[in-house]
Amino acid sequence: MKEFHINTEIFFGESSLDRLKQLSYEYVWIMSDPFVVSSGMIALLTTRLDAAHIRYDIFTDVVPDPPVEKVIAGVNEVITKRPPCIIAVGGGSAMDTAKAVRKFATQMDASYTPRLIAIPTTSGTGSEVTCFSVITNTQEGRKYPLASEDLIPDEAILDEVLVKSVPATVTADTGMDVMTHAIEAYVSTNNNEFSGALAEKAVEISGQFLIRSYASCDDTHARRKMHIASCLAGLAFNSASLGLNHGMAHQLGANFHIPHGRANAILLPYIIEFNSGIGLTTRSQRDYPSCVQKYCNIARILGVSNMNEVTTVRALISYMHFMNSEMQIPNRISEACPNLTHEEYEAAIDRMADAALRDGCTMTNPRTPLKQDVIEIYKKIW
């Protein structure tokens, strides 16, 4: 028996931040990316809280690839102040940290169950609706994806005003993260009709609006659409999980601090090729892996469907390379990390391959990879 459920109330569209005025709490605790505060963007929240006479504290000890130490610091403060509501505002790091903080705080005190509201300031992670949180062990150089129903935020607020000023490079990286989430959820071995419908819509919106959103921060309509696509893709992979693309990308982020969406974008064409078994020299076959038809559906949604399965999957792979090039995303690790030597990269491949195979996301990949397969992909993307 399968099941599909959405645990998060979602508020979206113009002025959706006004939801904060409706909260019934006397006090809330805000976990925020430092930039949200330093840029003054936090006023979009605090003015509404002030209008509702809600007191608040702001915690900004949030960094990319959130390490265990930052989670512990947040837990200590939450346990001390016991806010009835936690508001996470920022990118994936802020939300992942807040989700982990809430989880561990309630484990320490079973009588304490604060509500969690997630307000994303980037359109990419989908973390505002998922049961996942990725925490980094900096000493081991590894990322640990946590997965638990009690990590899911109770509410998500999607207001495009928070992503209007996101730089083009971040829009590109996070946008390709959306595309990767949707495609991996769609071909996952744990996919279902509900997750598939959400993934298809996320792919459709991304194909129409990602490059527009990248090209102009003033294109409010495009940015609103990508904000929604990110959430749709999050709902899809929260149900169906992901695949090898994320399993490998987590290691690139942990070892070389490559932004997560960028790592996904670099890997995506090569993962499609691996999963489908279709490369430049592949000939037409009588039978194909089941994921091939799904990749063909994605190609159709994106408008690059071709004569047959082989040419269509090749067209899809080319389209992903095209998207990266159009948004100036590096196609190789050597371009993304110009100070990294080939020797340093090669030395890390073996342990990254082991970690990618252990990664929970890899378990639902449509093709079961061997260690040598993962090593070869890592070598191809150099």
Side-chain angles (χ1 to χ4, degrees):
M1 180 176 68
K2 293 186 176 182
E3 61 180 272
F4 181 85
H5 49 90
I6 299 174
N7 293 343
T8 308
E9 293 182 74
I10 302 169
F11 300 85
F12 63 99
E14 189 175 356
S15 300
S16 54
L17 278 173
D18 284 347
R19 163 61 183 159
L20 296 174
K21 296 179 182 179
Q22 301 171 358
L23 299 180
S24 58
Y25 307 107
E26 294 182 358
Y27 168 68
V28 298
W29 188 78
I30 302 172
M31 173 167 276
S32 170
D33 280 342
F35 175 75
V36 174
V37 175
S38 64
S39 66
M41 193 186 303
I42 193 69
L44 292 169
L45 280 70
T46 57
T47 54
R48 288 169 167 85
L49 294 173
D50 289 336
H53 305 290
I54 300 172
R55 294 183 297 106
Y56 52 83
D57 283 318
I58 302 173
F59 180 91
T60 60
D61 195 8
V62 176
V63 297
D65 302 321
V68 174
E69 295 79 8
K70 300 299 182 184
V71 174
I72 293 172
V75 169
N76 289 335
E77 185 161 329
V78 163
I79 287 293
T80 300
K81 296 182 175 179
R82 295 178 65 86
C85 177
I86 296 171
I87 298 176
V89 56
S93 296
M95 284 185 283
D96 280 7
T97 307
K99 288 157 78 171
V101 165
R102 201 256 303 250
K103 176 179 175 62
F104 295 129
T106 55
Q107 285 182 345
M108 292 174 64
D109 183 351
S111 67
Y112 175 56
T113 54
R115 193 167 178 82
L116 177 59
I117 299 174
I119 307 177
T121 59
T122 59
S123 304
T125 67
S127 187
E128 68 273 9
V129 291
T130 69
C131 65
F132 303 102
S133 174
V134 181
I135 303 301
T136 302
N137 185 319
T138 51
Q139 293 181 338
E140 295 181 4
R142 287 182 60 188
K143 288 190 174 185
Y144 290 92
L146 308 177
S148 175
E149 289 290 308
D150 57 3
L151 287 168
I152 301 176
D154 299 292
E155 294 186 23
I157 299 176
L158 312 178
D159 197 319
E160 67 272 9
V161 70
L162 294 169
V163 295
K164 278 193 65 177
S165 60
V166 172
T169 53
V170 177
T171 299
D173 291 343
T174 55
M176 287 305 292
D177 198 16
V178 174
M179 185 72 84
T180 307
H181 286 157
I183 292 175
E184 285 214 286
Y186 195 60
V187 301
S188 162
T189 58
N190 200 35
N191 75 85
N192 56 70
E193 288 83 353
F194 297 96
S195 66
L198 292 162
E200 285 184 354
K201 192 62 180 179
V203 168
E204 177 190 324
I205 293 173
S206 298
Q208 291 180 350
F209 294 103
L210 175 51
I211 291 180
R212 270 182 56 178
S213 184
Y214 166 80
S216 173
C217 62
D218 294 324
D219 192 337
T220 303
H221 182 66
R223 297 229 162 184
R224 177 186 301 133
K225 288 290 189 179
M226 284 306 302
H227 216 32
I228 292 171
S230 175
C231 187
L232 292 171
L235 290 169
F237 81 77
N238 190 58
S239 173
S241 192
L242 295 162
L244 180 61
N245 208 117
H246 271 74
M248 293 181 67
H250 288 153
Q251 316 320 316
L252 293 173
N255 284 271
F256 307 120
H257 305 293
I258 299 172
H260 177 65
R262 187 171 304 177
N264 274 326
I266 293 170
L267 282 161
L268 185 55
Y270 299 92
I271 298 298
I272 294 173
E273 180 179 339
F274 170 75
N275 286 342
S276 65
I278 294 175
L280 291 175
T281 59
T282 303
R283 303 177 68 88
S284 295
Q285 303 162 209
R286 173 177 292 182
D287 298 306
Y288 296 92
S290 59
C291 66
V292 168
Q293 188 55 55
K294 288 183 174 292
Y295 285 133
C296 289
N297 289 343
I298 291 169
R300 175 184 52 78
I301 291 168
L302 293 171
V304 295
S305 184
N306 215 300
M307 293 182 294
N308 56 34
E309 289 89 346
V310 171
T311 56
T312 295
V313 172
R314 285 181 189 162
L316 178 63
I317 292 169
S318 295
Y319 182 82
M320 295 306 154
H321 282 300
F322 164 77
M323 291 283 284
N324 288 345
S325 297
E326 280 292 291
M327 296 185 292
Q328 299 182 336
I329 295 175
N331 276 309
R332 296 189 174 278
I333 301 300
S334 55
E335 299 171 16
C337 303
N339 295 323
L340 178 68
T341 67
H342 186 240
E343 292 73 20
E344 290 170 331
Y345 180 71
E346 285 278 333
I349 285 179
D350 191 79
R351 72 170 182 271
M352 288 198 301
D354 284 332
L357 290 172
R358 290 193 301 266
D359 192 289
C361 294
T362 303
M363 293 173 58
T364 48
N365 196 65
R367 179 179 175 185
T368 302
L370 302 174
K371 181 176 179 179
Q372 191 57 41
D373 296 324
V374 180
I375 288 173
E376 286 303 314
I377 296 171
Y378 275 134
K379 287 183 176 180
K380 281 182 180 181
I381 64 173
W382 167 251

